């Protein structure tokens, strides 16, 4: 069974940075694509970033391109989301998710396993 645990969220001022981590259990991490999603109060969950099984391919939501970077360390079963130049509109609960397949996917319905989330709050 796969379990995902996010960490690294918190309160930061606009323009600041945070690095989220997602530690995965199980044997499938190194062969699976991973994704980051977020959900703000009163809004639907939205795609943020995805990374392929080996880190060779990534994709980002337009709203975070150039500010966020997704990476992974398969030796540590961990995926990261480096968030720079944060804006108040980035405030949300951030979730990592694991796909069954190796390739990048932006749709939430393609992800099988989900973490509990970590809160990111950006003050203006």
């Amino acid at each position: 069974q796969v379990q995902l645990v996010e960490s690294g969220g918190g309160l930061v001022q606009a323009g600041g940075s945070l690095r989220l981590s997602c530690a995965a259990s199980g044997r499938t991490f190194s062969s699976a694509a991973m994704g980051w999603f977020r959900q703000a109060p009163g809004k639907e969950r939205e795609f943020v970033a995805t990374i392929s099984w080996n880190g060779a391919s990534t994709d980002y939501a337009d709203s975070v391109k150039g500010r966020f970077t997704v990476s992974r360390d398969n030796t540590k079963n961990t995926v990261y989301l480096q968030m720079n130049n944060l804006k108040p509109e980035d405030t949300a609960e951030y979730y990592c998710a694991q796909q069954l397949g190796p390739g990048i996917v932006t749709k939430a319905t393609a992800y099988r396993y989900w973490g509990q989330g970590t809160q990111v709050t950006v003050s203006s």
Side-chain angles (χ1 to χ4, degrees):
Q1 183 71 336
V2 173
Q3 289 187 325
L4 305 174
V5 179
E6 301 96 336
S7 61
L11 174 63
V12 64
Q13 289 187 334
S17 298
L18 283 174
R19 188 195 196 201
L20 304 184
S21 299
C22 173
S25 65
R27 303 177 182 178
T28 58
F29 177 84
S30 60
S31 62
M34 299 294 293
W36 285 97
F37 293 79
R38 66 187 182 186
Q39 187 168 18
K43 295 187 177 181
E44 294 186 353
R45 187 171 297 189
E46 65 174 359
F47 165 74
V48 175
T50 179
I51 185 167
S52 62
W53 69 280
N54 60 356
S57 298
T58 58
D59 196 8
Y60 299 90
D62 288 343
S63 59
V64 307
K65 279 181 181 176
R67 301 188 297 121
F68 290 12
T69 302
V70 60
S71 61
R72 66 189 297 161
D73 186 341
N74 285 351
T75 66
K76 296 181 179 179
N77 271 24
T78 302
V79 63
Y80 306 96
L81 185 67
Q82 177 67 44
M83 305 185 295
N84 298 329
N85 190 21
L86 283 161
K87 304 176 180 180
E89 51 263 43
D90 294 318
T91 295
E93 189 83 6
Y94 282 71
Y95 300 89
C96 72
Q98 182 174 320
Q99 229 215 116
L100 292 178
I104 57 174
V105 178
T106 63
K107 292 183 178 181
T109 52
Y111 289 82
R112 174 74 176 271
Y113 304 102
W114 291 82
Q116 295 299 307
T118 185
Q119 177 67 36
V120 172
T121 303
V122 185
S123 62
S124 57

